[in-house]
Amino acid sequence: MKVDRRSFLGLGLGAVAGISVSPVILKLTDDSSIWTQNWPWTPVPVDGEVSYVSSVCSLCPGSCGISVRKIDDRPVKVEGLDEYPINDGGACLHGISILQYLYDPARIKTPLKKKGDKFEEISWDDAVSMVAKKLSDIRSAKTPEKLACIIDKDQGSVSGLFKRLMKSFGSTNLYTMPSFESYLELTAAALHGKGTTIGFDLENSDFVLSFGAGVIEGWGSPVSCFKANASRKERGAKLYQIEPRLSNTAANADKWVPIKPGTEADLALGMAAVILKKNLFDAAAAAKFKGGFNKLAATLQNDYSLSKTSEITGIKETDIEETATLFAKAKMPVAVFGKGRGDGSQSLKELIAVHSLNCLVGSINRKGGAFIQPVKNYLEFPEESMDDAAKEGIAKPKFGQYVHDLFEKVNVSSQPAVEALFVYQSNPCYALHDTKTIKQAFGKIPFVVSFSSFMDETAGEADIILPVHTFIERLEDIPSGAGLAKMVVGLSKPVVKPLFNTKHPGDILLLIAKALGGSIGKNFEWASYDKCLETVAGSIWKSLSKSGHAILAKGVPEAPPEVDMTFLAGNPASVQSNGDGDLMLIPIDNMRLPSSAPAAAPFSIKTVSDEVLKGKDTVVEINPKTAGSLKNYDYVTLTTPVGTAKVMINLNDGMMPGVIGMVKGLGHTFDNKYVSNKGVNINDLIGPVIEPGSGVDAAFGIKVKISRA
Amino acid sequence: MFPFNFEWVWDMAHVIFFGGFWYAISILGAGLTYCILKAAYDTFKGGGESHHHH
Amino acid sequence: MSKVEHKSESGSEESTGECAAGDTKDDKGLGLGVIFFILAFVICFLSGTLLFPKLLYSKKEQPFNFDHKLHVEQTSDCESCHALREDGSFNGIPKLAKCMECHSETPLGETKDEAVFAEMYVAKEKEVPWYVYSRQPDCVFFSHAAHTKTKGMDCVTCHGPIGTSTTLKPYEENRITGYSRDIWGQNIWGIKKHSWDRMKMDDCAECHKKETGHQGYCFQCHK
Amino acid sequence: MDSALIPEGAKRCAFPKFALGIAIVGAVVLWGVYAMGLIWWKGLNQTNMNDNYGFALWIWADLAVIAVGGGAFFTGLLKYIFKVDELKNIINFAVIIGFICYSSALLILAIDIGQPLRGWFIFWHANVHSMLTEVAFCLSCYFAVLTIEFIPNILENRQANKVPFFHHLAHNMHGVMAVFAATGAFLSFFHQGSLGGVAGVMYGRPFAVREGLLIWPWTFFLFTWSAAAFGPCFTLLVTKITEAVTGKKLVKDNVVHLLAKISGWMITTYIIAKIIDTIYWATVTVPGLGLDIDHFYSNNAFYGYWILFTEIIICGVIPGLLLIMKSTRENPTLRLLAIILGVIGVCLNRWVMVLQIMAIPVMSFDTWALYIPSWQEVATTVLPVAYGIILIAVTYRYLPVFPQEKELNAVQPVTETE
Amino acid sequence: MNKNDKKAHKFGMVIDLDKCTGCGSCMVSCMSENNVPFKEDESNKKDSITWMRVYKLTNGKSFPETEIVYLPRPCQHCGGKGDHGHSPCVSVCPATATDYGYDTGIVSQIYTRCFGCRYCMGACPYHARYFNWWDPKWPEGMEKYLSPDVSPRMRGVVEKCSFCYHRYQAAKDKAYYDGREDIEENEYQTACTTACPAGAIVFGDLYNPAHRVHEIVKPDPHPASINSTVVGKSRNPNVFRLLERLGTNPKVYYLSEREWVRKAGDNYLAGEWDKIKNHHGSESHG
C-alpha cells in the first residue's frame, strides 16, 4: 500500500472537515470570548449580605459622621452619615476614600526597627521593651524633660493618654502640630481669655466676610462649611472673599476682593477704622471692651486711614469702605479668618484683627456670629500619681510654646536636647516649614518613636515604628473642633477587624506605661484602651455608645465674654516675608489634596487637575501678565532663600499679578507610587517667619525668583 | 445575524439589512458552488485535456 | 499530471462523493485518499463531539454530599434555606450559621457526610466551599425577588428538580471560561429539553420575550 | 531556480535578487508583526490613542487603504458590467491591489479593537443601525468577492494551470465573473458609503455630521464616489511604480489614458459634489448648531484652512482638471502629478474625517486635542504597505498579471536587462 | 414596544452650578461606588477614567474680572434626536453593547459585550465614555474593597456612568420584597448625588411631577421651536443642558443664575445668545 501525498491530504482534509462539523469550533469561539470576559487577572468582588456600620471620620478635624457599607465582613463603600449633626449625609472626597487608606500599600504592617537605612520587623514585645528601656534610661539620668512628644491634636482621649504619660514621666515637652483649632484657641485666648475657643455660625450668618478663609476649600469642618455655603443663596446671605487669588471660595462668593498677600491684618484694621469712624460699631458691645480700646481707636484713625489702608492692601478705598459698611450694617455678620484651610501658618495679629471686627459689630455670641465658649474638657481622667522624678521634671520649663521651638532647640544644642521623641499621627518632616531643618533635627535626636499607620516622611526618620490601627479599625472619641458653632464628640468605631499586626495607640501607651512600672504604670491601670475610654468618658459614654455621638454644646452661648484689646492696642508690627525675589510665592490649599497627614489617597490624587499636577511636576499658578513671554506648561525654576524647585506654570487670570501660587500637599517622598514622588512640597521652599509678640510661625509666603528652566 | 440571536427583532431594519446580506452571500455562494461543480464536471468530461478556451 | 488533478478534487467536500463514485480508473492513491479522508473525518468528528467535552470540562467533587431530598422533607420548602433577605437580595447557598440553626452542636444524623460537615467545617468555623452549579458570571445581575416573589415562579423552572435529589453530581467547570457546565448545558450542542437545561442569556431572553413581550434592556440583567 | 513557476515568456530577475528584495521588505513586515504582537498581548495601551482619540492613525490608514482600494470595485464594475473591454488589461492588477488593501484593512481592524477575541460579536450580535456594522458586513463580504476575483489569476500560474480542475475552475470563474463583480459593486457601494456614514451620522460632532438621504448622510455617497474616483488613480500609481521598478512597460497607454479619463471625470464630479456639500455644511448645518466654520480651522497648532484648501483645490480640483483635459492627461508627467495629487487628496479626506473630527472641541469649554502616534502604531500602519509590496512582487513574478506584458516587451528584446 | 409604557421612568439629574464647589466628592464617590480603577499617573486626563468629571470653566476675562465655575459631567444619558432613544453612542455601537432603556431612560454599557471599537467614544461630544487602555490593577489587598454590585471592567472595553443603575436594581429588589409596585424617590439616588456635600445634585424621575428634579427642570414636553429634535427643554430660565442644540437630548440639566455660565453650555454664533437668552426656557409656544 502506497501512502503518498494524496493520503496525507485526505487525512488532513478529513480532519478539518470532521472538526468543522463537530461542535468544537463553535464552542471554542464562544468560550474564548467568554474567557476574555472573565480574565482571571480581573478581580471579581465576592457577593454577600449588605450591612451598614456608622462611625466618625477623623482624617481631618471636620469629624463627620460616616456610614460604611459592608458586604459580609468587607467594607466596600464609605458615605456621609445621614442626620449626623455635623455633616448630615454629606461627605468629602477624602472621607469617601477611607478604604484606600485602610488598604494603602504604605501601611506599616508590623512593628519596625531601624537598622542602618532600612527597617526590620520586630515583635510588639521587643518593640515595647526597647522603648521602655530607653525611657527608663532617660529617667535614670534624671532628665525626664529629654523625652519629647508631638501629637496631632490637643483634644480627645488618645491625646489625653499621651499627655498623661508625659506628665507621669515628668516632661513638659509635649507639642501639638499647628492646627486651625490651635489658632482659634490662641485668638480666643488673646481677646477673651485662656481656655476658650471660637466657633463660627456660618449657617445662620447673613454676611460672611472671609479674610482668605477657604470656606469651601477644606477650611474648618469642610462638609459643614459646604452645606452652610450651599444654603447661603437660599437664605439670601452674602459672602465676600478677600484674598490674592481667585480660589474656589472667591469664585463662589458674591464678591471677590483681591488683596496683596500678607496685608489682611491691615485691611481688617482699616475696616475697623471705617466702622469706628462711621459709628457703625455696636456700642453696647464696645462698652465692655477693655485693654486700651481708646488707644486702639486712636491708632486706627492715625495709621489706618482709608488711603493708607488702600495703599498697603492694594484695594480701592471705595471697596474697603463699602465692604466695611455692608459688614457692619448686616444683621448677622461674621468675619472669618484662617487663610486657606486655616491650619497653615497664620499671623496672630491678623487673626485678632479680623476677630476684633466681630467684636466691634457685636457679633460675639449672637446668632450668625462668632461663638466664644470654653474649651470643653469632657473626659474625666483620674488624678495622676507623680513620683519625685516626675515632679522635678514637670517643674522644668518647656522648650517653647510651639512645635517649631522644639526643633529649633534641638538644632541649636550641641548636646542632645532631646533623647527620645514620640511622634503620634503627624508628619512634621513634611508639614512644617523648611523641612530640611526639621529632618536635621530628627537626625540629632537619638531615639525617635513613631506611632503611625503609614510609612510617611516622618515615620521614615524614626528608630522604632509602633504601627497603630487606622481609625476605622479602632474605637476612639473624636471631638469636633475646626471652628464649628456646635461642639460634638463622635465615636469612631472599629468597622473592620484590624488587617495587620497593629495596635490601638491607647493600648500601646498602656503597654509602655506598664513596662515602665512604678507610678507611671499605676497611672495606666486600665485593662485596655476601650475600657479606659468607657471610664474616662464618664457621663457622655452612654450617649456616645448609643447614638455614636454626644453634643456638648449647641445653639448660641449665653452672655458675651469680655473683650481684651491689649494685643492690638500695642500696635504690633505686621509679619514681613523673607527673601529678596521680586515675586511672592504663596501656598494654595486645594480641597482635593490634604496638606498634612495622612497624604492623599489615590482617588483624591486622581481628581487633581492637570493645572495642578502634570506627570511628576507641580504646576504653579501665575498671572499671564507676570509670566511675560512664558507659555502655559513651560518649565521654570523657583528660587527662594530656603530652596529651589523646578515646576511648570499655569497661566491663570485668577491669580494676582506678582504672585505665584503653589499647591500644598504634593511632593511626598515615601514609598507609594500612587501618591508619592509627584510634584514639589511647598514646605521645602518656605521658611518659618516668627511673628514678634506671638511667637507663632506666621510665614504667609516667601519672596521668590523665577527663571526659565 | 440569525433569527435565533438575542438581538434579532423582526422589524424592517433587520429584514432590509440582513436581507441584503444574505442575498449577497447566497449569490456568492451559489456562484462559487456553480464554478466548482462545473469545473469538476469539466475535468471529468474533458479528462486530461488541457486546451485553452480563451 | 493526473495526480494533482485528483488531489484537487478531494479538496472540496462537495466533490468527494461524486469523485469517489465516478472513480472508475481504480486509482489506488485516490482510493486511499478517500479512505483516509473518511477515517480522519469520522475520528475527528467523534472526538469533537464525544472526547472534546470531556477535555473541556474538569470535574470537581463537592466538599461532601448533600441530600436535598432529606432536607426538603424536614423543611418542606426551598425557602427555609435559600431565602430572600429583607433588602430583597437572595442569600444563595446558606452560610454555616444558617445550617447551625438546625444542626446546633449535636449531629442530627449519622451519615458520613454529616460527620465531615461537623469536623471540617462546624468545628473549624469554616464556611463550606460549595461549587455552585448555577453560578452566573460577575456581569450578571439576577433578581430572585422579581422572579419568585413578584411573579411567583417556581425554583424548578430554572434550577430543575434539585430538591428531590439525594446526591450532588460532580461540578463540571469549563477550563477556558471557568463557567459551570450547567450554564451551557450538558448537551455539547447546546440543545435543551427542559427549561432548566441551560442558563445562557438566550434562555433568559426567550422566557422574557414570552412572558413580558420584550427581551428586556441590557441593564435589567447586567451590572 | 523558480523558473518553472514564472509565466511563460516573461522575463524576471534572478531569484537571489528577488529573495534579497523580499527579505528586506520582509524585515519591515516582521517589525510590524512584532508591534502587532505587542498590541495583542499587552493591549491598546501600546498606542498613543486616548479617550479623545479613540480613532487614530491606523483607522485613518484603514479608511485610506479602503478608499484607494476602491479602484478594484470600480474597475471591475466598468469591465464586467459596463463592458469597458480595454480594462481587462489592468483588471488583474486592480484586483490584486484591492485584495491587498482590503486584507490590510481587515488586519488593521483586528488590531484596532480592544478585544480581538470578541471581534465576531459585530456579526453575531449585530446592531443594524450602526454604520460600523454595515462596514463590517460589507467589508468582509467584499473581501470574499476580491478573493474570488483574485483566485482565477492565481490559478493561471503556469504550474497551477496545468491542473485541469484548476484550469476549468479559473475558466468558469471568469465566465460568471460579472455576477461576482456586480455583487462586489453592490457591497462596495455600501461599505465605502457606510465608512463615510461612520462620520456623517455622528450628530454629536458638528464637524462630521451631515444631513442626507434616509439613514445615509451625504458623506455616505461622497465616500463611495470618492473611492470610485480616486481608486483608479491609485491603481495607475501602483502600476506606474511597478513599471518603474521592473523597468518594463506593462500596460498600454490607451488603457492608462482611458482609466485616467474615467478617473478624471469621476474626480471632477465628486469634487463638485464635495464643494456643494462643504458649502451647505458651512453655511447651513454648522451655523444651525451655533458654530462658525472658523471654529474648525483656528485656535490650534495644526488644523487650519490649508487642509481644506489642499484637500479640495490642490488635491481635488487640480487632478480632476488635469485628467479630464486630453492634453494634460496624455502628458506622462502631468498625469503622474495628477494621480499622485489625487491619491493624496483622498487620503487627506479620510484623515480629516477621522482625525480632525476627534481633535475639534465641541463643548464650549473643551480644548483642541492633538495627537502623535506611538511607534507601535506606525509599525502596524507600515506593515500593510510592506506586505503589499511583497504580495505585488510575488504575484508579478509568478502570475500573468499583465496580459499586455509579453506584447509590450517582446518588441525590444535588446534593451531588456531585467 | 415598551417606548410607550405608562410605567416608564425618565431618570435625570439637575446640577446646581452655583452650589457646586468643585470639591470632587462626586468624582470619588462615583469611583468608589463603581469600582473605577486608578493608575500610577492619572494626570493625563485624556486617559484617566472618571465617569463623573468636574470641568473648570472660566469666563475668559482677565484679572480681577475673572470668574470660574465647576461643572460636573456624568454621562448625559442622551435620549437622542426627538428623545426616541437613538443616543449618539447607542445608535453607533456595532455589537449592541450599549442600549437605551426605554423603561428608565438610562443608557447602558455592557462591558462583556463591548469589543472595544470605541466608535461610541467618537460619537459622544461630552467625552463621557472612557476606554480601558490598561488592565485594571489594584495594589495588593486593595481589591478587597471592590463592590459586588458593579462588575470590574477588563482591559479593552469602554465604560461610562450608569446613573448607578445597580442602586435602581437594589431598590427594585427591595420593592419586590415588600410587594410594592414601584420605588420611592429617595430609594434610588446615585452615588454622586448622595455624596455631594453642597447638595448641588438632584436626581429623580423627570416624568414624575412630584420629584424635585421635575420641579426644578419643568421639562417642556413639546419639541423646541428652533429645533424640533430637541425635546424636554427646561421651562426654568436658569436651567440649561450641554450642547442642547445638537439634539442629543441629555437627561442631565444644569442650573445657574450666571448668564455666562448658561451661555457656556452650548455654542452660539456672534450675537445669537442675546436673541436666544430671553426666550430661553420659555419658548415652547414661541
Side-chain angles (χ1 to χ4, degrees), chain D residues 106-301:
Chain D
L106 288 172
L107 180 71
I108 291 173
L109 287 179
I111 304 169
D112 173 69
I113 55 179
Q115 287 284 353
L117 288 175
R118 299 184 201 166
W120 54 278
F121 286 7
I122 200 170
F123 300 107
W124 197 256
H125 301 294
N127 168 21
V128 298
H129 302 287
S130 171
M131 283 294 160
L132 213 54
T133 307
E134 201 171 304
V135 170
F137 274 84
C138 296
L139 199 68
S140 37
C141 285
Y142 181 60
F143 179 64
V145 172
L146 276 172
T147 312
I148 291 170
E149 290 183 344
F150 188 18
I151 285 172
N153 198 217
I154 299 174
L155 297 181
E156 277 161 12
N157 170 276
R158 210 162 88 194
Q159 296 306 324
N161 205 34
K162 286 178 184 162
V163 182
F165 177 76
F166 287 168
H167 171 83
H168 291 301
L169 186 59
H171 177 72
N172 288 324
M173 285 177 84
H174 273 301
V176 293
M177 201 50 88
V179 177
F180 292 134
T183 316
F186 166 79
L187 291 167
S188 213
F189 174 81
F190 276 100
H191 85 248
Q192 293 283 2
S194 31
L195 278 171
V198 163
V201 296
M202 295 200 289
Y203 64 92
R205 295 277 187 176
F207 185 72
V209 67
R210 292 293 189 284
E211 288 158 60
L213 191 68
L214 299 174
I215 61 161
W216 296 291
W218 294 133
T219 46
F220 181 98
F221 305 99
L222 287 173
F223 263 52
T224 305
W225 201 252
S226 60
F230 293 104
C233 279
F234 187 68
T235 311
L236 290 175
L237 181 62
V238 178
T239 310
K240 185 79 201 162
I241 293 169
T242 312
E243 286 182 339
V245 172
T246 58
K248 287 188 207 129
K249 185 125 186 74
L250 299 168
V251 179
K252 280 187 184 166
D253 278 345
N254 69 322
V255 180
V256 171
H257 291 166
L258 176 67
L259 202 55
K261 182 177 166 188
I262 295 169
S263 182
W265 281 107
M266 291 293 289
I267 292 174
T268 308
T269 47
Y270 159 75
I271 214 71
I272 291 168
K274 171 77 187 169
I275 289 168
I276 293 169
D277 168 75
T278 305
I279 291 171
Y280 183 83
W281 166 79
T283 56
V284 179
T285 311
V286 166
L289 302 173
L291 288 163
D292 195 281
I293 186 178
D294 256 355
H295 176 80
F296 307 105
Y297 298 101
S298 52
N299 291 322
N300 77 94

Side-chain angles (χ1 to χ4, degrees), chain A residues 588-606:
Chain A
I588 296 172
D589 274 315
N590 182 318
M591 184 58 209
R592 300 182 191 174
L593 278 172
S595 56
S596 52
F603 275 157
S604 317
I605 288 281
K606 184 167 174 169

Side-chain angles (χ1 to χ4, degrees), chain A residues 132 136 139 164-165 168-169 384-390 510-525:
Chain A
S136 299
R139 276 202 132 217
R164 191 175 177 83
L165 183 72
S168 310
F169 191 80
E384 298 92 348
S385 73
M386 308 277 285
D387 57 12
D388 289 346
L510 259 54
L511 285 174
I512 293 173
K514 203 173 156 193
L516 286 170
S519 63
I520 302 176
K522 217 179 269 170
N523 284 336
F524 287 81
E525 270 183 336

Side-chain angles (χ1 to χ4, degrees), chain C residues 110-120:
Chain C
E110 284 174 359
T111 61
K112 198 179 82 217
D113 294 307
E114 197 185 342
V116 174
F117 175 57
E119 274 166 40
M120 301 292 293

Side-chain angles (χ1 to χ4, degrees), chain D residues 112 115 130 198 203 364 366, chain E residues 86 92 118-119 122 127 155 264:
Chain D
D112 173 69
Q115 287 284 353
S130 171
V198 163
Y203 64 92
S364 71
D366 212 347
Chain E
H86 299 292
V92 300
R118 309 180 299 288
Y119 190 7
H127 302 304
R155 174 184 98 198

Side-chain angles (χ1 to χ4, degrees), chain D residues 39-47 49-56 58-59 112-116 118-119 121-123 125-133 194 197-199 201-206 209 286-292 295 357-358 360-370, chain E residues 44-49 53 55-57 71 73 78-81 86-88 90-96 110-127 129-135 154-157 227 242-243 245-248 263-269 272:
Chain D
I39 289 157
W40 272 335
W41 181 248
K42 293 187 172 179
L44 292 178
N45 52 55
Q46 297 295 301
T47 72
M49 285 195 273
N50 55 48
D51 293 337
N52 274 48
Y53 269 101
F55 294 168
W58 63 45
I59 288 293
D112 173 69
I113 55 179
Q115 287 284 353
R118 299 184 201 166
F121 286 7
I122 200 170
F123 300 107
H125 301 294
N127 168 21
V128 298
H129 302 287
S130 171
M131 283 294 160
L132 213 54
T133 307
S194 31
V198 163
V201 296
M202 295 200 289
Y203 64 92
R205 295 277 187 176
V209 67
V286 166
L289 302 173
L291 288 163
D292 195 281
H295 176 80
I357 291 173
M358 299 296 148
I360 296 166
V362 184
M363 290 184 289
S364 71
F365 45 87
D366 212 347
T367 48
W368 276 81
L370 298 176
Chain E
N44 177 5
K45 300 304 176 192
K46 289 191 187 106
D47 66 21
S48 173
I49 302 176
R53 177 167 173 194
Y55 281 88
K56 181 178 157 189
L57 280 58
L71 184 140
R73 192 251 35 225
C78 301
K81 287 189 173 175
H86 299 292
S87 327
V90 168
S91 52
V92 300
C93 175
T96 335
I110 308 302
Y111 321 117
T112 43
R113 173 62 71 76
C114 173
F115 65 85
C117 76
R118 309 180 299 288
Y119 190 7
C120 56
M121 290 167 56
C124 173
Y126 306 103
H127 302 304
R129 291 178 158 270
Y130 297 87
F131 189 72
N132 283 272
W133 302 102
W134 286 269
D135 277 311
M154 63 295 292
R155 174 184 98 198
V157 302
N227 184 344
L242 289 180
L243 301 172
R245 308 174 76 171
L246 296 181
T248 49
K263 190 182 171 194
D266 211 333
N267 295 301
Y268 298 97
L269 296 172
E272 206 178 12

Side-chain angles (χ1 to χ4, degrees), chain C residues 201-221:
Chain C
M201 180 168 68
D202 288 353
D203 303 294
C204 301
E206 186 187 306
C207 188
H208 269 240
K209 244 178 190 166
K210 206 165 70 194
E211 298 297 326
T212 69
H214 192 265
Q215 64 206 10
Y217 304 110
C218 299
F219 265 167
Q220 247 169 288
C221 318

